[in-house]
Amino acid sequence: METLGWCNLDGFIRPDALVALEDEATNLLPGAEVLTIKRNIYQGAIDPNLPADDPRRREYTHVATQLANDQLPSNTLIQQLYQSEILTDFVRRVQKKPVLYRCADEFQALNVVALYPGSWHAWHYDTTECTVTLLLKAAESGGDFAFLPNSRTDETEDRDAVDRLLEGDMSQAQKFDRGAGTFTLFRGGYSLHGVTEVRGAHPRVTAILTYDEQEGRVISDDINVRIYGRRVEKILSDRKAASAQAQ
C-alpha cells in the first residue's frame, strides 16, 4: 500500500459466501439501469477557462449497468458487509487513517457495477480517497484494473504523465487482473484509473464500497446526476419541488 498506493487481498471472501454474493448480485442486476456515463476525469463540469485543446476539457464515456446505494436494500448481504464496523475499521487501519466513516451519500456509498463484454470504465479520479472494491465476478478476459500511481496530491498533479495517459501512452500506467473474491484497497482519489475493455461471454461484476475521513460526507447533486442519470435527476428534482411547495 505504501509503495504502490494499492493492495489486493485474494480470497478475502470465503468461497461459499462469494457464491451467495454473486447470486445476490445476479438477481438484483436486472433491476439496474444501463447508464451511459459521460464526464471528465475529475467527475465534474468542464472548466470553461481552460484552453480549447486542454486534455482536461475532454469528456470520456463508458456504459455500465449500475445499482446505486439506494437500490441495495439493507437486508442484502452486500449491504451487511458494507455496514460492518469490523470491515470499516479494517479499511481504516490499512489506509492508516485516525478515523474513517462509511460514505453518507444516499447514492454513492455502496454500488454494484456490471461491465458487459465490450464495455470498459473510463479514466477518472474517485470523489473520495478511500474507495475499495470487491470483485464478485471476474471477466473471462480483459477487465483489468489500470491506473497511474500517485498522479496527484491535494496540491498538485503530474500533468505531463496524466496528459500522456489520456493520449493513449500506457508506459507509466500499471494494471493487474484479479480473481473473484479479491478485495482491493486503493487510493483512487490520488491515482487516475479505469478498467480496460471486458471480453468474453459474461459481465465483470464489482461491488464498490466508499469510505471517508469526513463524517456525514455527501457528494454534490451535479456529480450524482452525471453518474446516475435520469433516475437520480428525477429524485432530486422531485425533492426540491416538494421542499419548495412545503415552504
Side-chain angles (χ1 to χ4, degrees):
M1 195 73 183
E2 288 299 315
T3 303
L4 301 175
W6 61 272
C7 67
N8 276 338
L9 299 173
D10 297 325
F12 188 75
I13 299 296
R14 297 194 317 269
D16 59 329
L18 179 61
V19 170
L21 283 165
E22 183 185 330
D23 288 347
E24 178 179 80
T26 299
N27 291 330
L28 288 169
L29 280 167
E33 290 181 276
V34 179
L35 301 174
T36 299
I37 300 170
K38 185 177 182 180
R39 60 192 174 187
N40 68 6
I41 63 174
Y42 309 104
Q43 306 210 46
I46 300 298
D47 183 353
N49 297 315
L50 292 172
D53 60 348
D54 193 301
R56 288 167 290 179
R57 289 185 66 100
R58 296 180 187 171
E59 289 187 305
Y60 299 86
T61 301
H62 68 264
V63 177
T65 302
Q66 190 155 334
L67 291 160
N69 183 68
D70 67 319
Q71 296 173 295
L72 297 167
S74 60
N75 63 347
T76 54
L77 296 173
I78 195 63
Q79 276 284 12
Q80 291 178 50
L81 180 67
Y82 178 57
Q83 296 296 329
S84 165
E85 296 292 346
I86 295 172
L87 183 62
T88 301
D89 190 60
F90 174 73
V91 174
R92 178 194 65 79
R93 288 184 287 121
V94 174
Q95 296 277 20
K96 296 187 176 179
K97 302 295 183 184
V99 294
L100 196 66
Y101 304 95
R102 290 180 290 278
C103 178
D105 191 272
E106 63 184 305
F107 307 115
Q108 291 213 28
L110 171 67
N111 280 202
V112 172
V113 180
L115 293 177
Y116 283 82
S119 299
W120 61 89
H121 206 146
W123 297 113
H124 66 287
Y125 290 106
D126 291 335
T127 52
T128 61
E129 179 187 350
C130 297
T131 296
V132 302
T133 65
L134 174 63
L135 189 62
L136 301 178
K137 188 179 186 70
E140 284 187 17
S141 63
D144 296 329
F145 189 82
F147 63 101
L148 189 62
N150 303 315
S151 55
R152 72 173 180 176
T153 67
D154 289 329
E155 294 79 29
T156 62
E157 183 176 31
D158 187 345
R159 287 304 322 164
D160 288 341
V162 167
D163 290 348
R164 286 196 297 271
L165 182 65
L166 296 179
E167 292 291 342
D169 180 355
M170 295 283 289
S171 61
Q172 294 188 52
Q174 298 180 17
K175 65 179 182 179
F176 53 80
D177 56 8
R178 299 174 290 172
T182 301
F183 192 65
T184 301
L185 295 102
F186 176 68
R187 293 175 182 152
Y190 296 110
S191 296
L192 191 63
H193 60 284
V195 176
T196 63
E197 183 177 345
V198 172
R199 298 184 297 274
H202 64 250
R204 172 191 188 271
V205 183
T206 308
I208 303 174
L209 300 78
T210 304
Y211 302 87
D212 202 281
E213 293 177 88
Q214 175 184 324
E215 188 175 12
R217 171 74 177 270
V218 296
I219 311 303
S220 72
D221 288 353
D222 174 70
I223 289 177
N224 277 334
V225 169
R226 284 175 178 272
I227 293 174
Y228 300 105
R230 293 180 180 178
R231 183 185 74 88
V232 166
E233 185 176 28
K234 186 176 187 305
I235 290 172
L236 297 174
S237 177
D238 289 351
R239 188 176 297 165
K240 288 177 182 177
S243 177
Q245 189 174 24
Q247 294 175 2

